[in-house]
Amino acid sequence: MNTFEWYRQRVYHLEPEYDPADRVRAFERALEWGDRIPLGIIYRKGRPVFEERFPMLQESPLIKQSFDADRLAGILKELY
């Protein structure tokens, strides 16, 4: 059974010079398990978060927005 002590002896923080944008290296690090277990941001892809991709979500959550069929039609036109 893997105890706290077992993990404590194996985990390590990724080096400051580690580049999380390197997809191949990130995959290699993600496969590490056993004698060494990496901690930190293993992979990061620079892309907008979900809310940034949809301007209507930046105002407020959809559940708090009033429903306007005409506005919805305009939004759907933008998406398609």
Side-chain angles (χ1 to χ4, degrees), residues 13-68:
H13 291 276
L14 294 170
E15 306 80 20
E17 62 275 1
Y18 174 76
D19 179 15
D22 183 344
R23 192 175 185 179
V24 173
R25 188 74 181 122
F27 189 73
E28 290 170 356
R29 291 287 177 108
L31 292 176
E32 286 184 29
W33 182 259
D35 292 336
R36 292 180 44 101
I37 303 169
L39 290 179
I41 298 173
I42 294 176
Y43 180 68
R44 177 184 289 157
K45 183 174 182 179
R47 63 181 182 181
V49 296
F50 185 80
E51 291 85 358
E52 291 172 346
R53 294 177 36 211
F54 299 97
M56 73 289 285
L57 293 177
Q58 291 179 357
E59 298 169 17
S60 66
L62 289 178
I63 192 73
K64 293 184 178 181
Q65 295 182 22
S66 62
F67 179 75
D68 179 359

Side-chain angles (χ1 to χ4, degrees), residues 71-80:
R71 183 171 180 234
L72 179 60
I75 291 169
L76 290 175
K77 264 188 184 176
E78 286 180 30
L79 293 174
Y80 300 103

